[in-house]
């Protein structure tokens, strides 16, 4: 009987050890999650007046898997379009329009206003 008890105890101990190994890893504390997700958000605000684009003039750099948020305010009706991602937003005079998307395609992408042909800085995703 002692051998049977020892065997049963070893079996239970092994099962407990295996279940502890299979447990999912502990989640990051909420403060760290918010900090790391904020670091992967690229935001840029533009204003278009008389066909001239005001805002960041350098290419926008975004990490692969990050989030891009583009906000444009125009004095004329137009359409904001991000090539490659095929994201767009209708612009109404004086009202901000925002396009937001995950950067799941690496490369260089043109951003333009379709009707006026005005170009915004390109987006580089690496």
């Amino acid at each position: 009987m002692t051998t049977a008890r020892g065997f049963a105890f070893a079996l239970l101990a092994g099962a407990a050890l295996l279940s502890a190994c299979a447990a999912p890893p502990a989640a990051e504390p909420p403060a760290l999650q918010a900090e790391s997700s904020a670091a992967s958000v690229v935001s840029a605000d533009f204003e278009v007046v008389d066909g001239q684009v005001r805002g960041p003039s350098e290419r926008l750099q975004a990490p692969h898997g990050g989030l891009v948020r583009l906000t444009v305010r125009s004095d004329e009706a137009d359409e904001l379009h991000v090539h490659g991602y095929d994201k767009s937003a209708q612009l109404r005079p004086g009202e901000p329009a925002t396009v937001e998307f995950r950067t799941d395609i690496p490369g260089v992408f043109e951003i333009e206003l379709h009707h006026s042909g005005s170009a915004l800085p390109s987006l580089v995703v690496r």
Side-chain angles (χ1 to χ4, degrees):
M1 277 245 185
T2 315
T3 306
R5 279 189 191 164
F7 182 71
F9 178 76
L11 212 61
L12 286 173
L17 181 62
L18 283 175
S19 68
C21 290
E28 283 184 31
L32 292 177
Q33 288 176 347
E35 185 177 279
S36 62
S37 65
S40 64
V41 176
V42 174
S43 293
D45 295 321
F46 298 93
E47 185 175 14
V48 182
V49 178
D50 294 328
Q52 299 297 312
V53 178
R54 298 177 185 164
S57 59
E58 300 292 320
R59 283 183 162 181
L60 303 173
Q61 305 283 332
H64 187 262
L67 184 69
V68 170
R69 185 177 303 124
L70 305 172
T71 301
V72 178
R73 181 186 301 263
S74 177
D75 62 347
E76 295 181 15
D78 211 326
E79 180 185 7
L80 170 67
H81 185 245
V82 181
H83 290 271
Y85 283 93
D86 201 26
K87 300 292 182 185
S88 62
Q90 294 300 314
L91 302 178
R92 291 180 181 80
E95 295 179 20
T98 301
V99 171
E100 185 173 292
F101 57 95
R102 280 266 164 227
T103 53
D104 55 0
I105 307 168
V108 179
F109 305 93
E110 300 298 318
I111 305 170
E112 69 174 352
L113 302 183
H114 266 191
H115 302 297
S116 69
S118 298
L120 281 69
S122 300
L123 171 66
V124 180
V125 178
R126 295 184 188 178

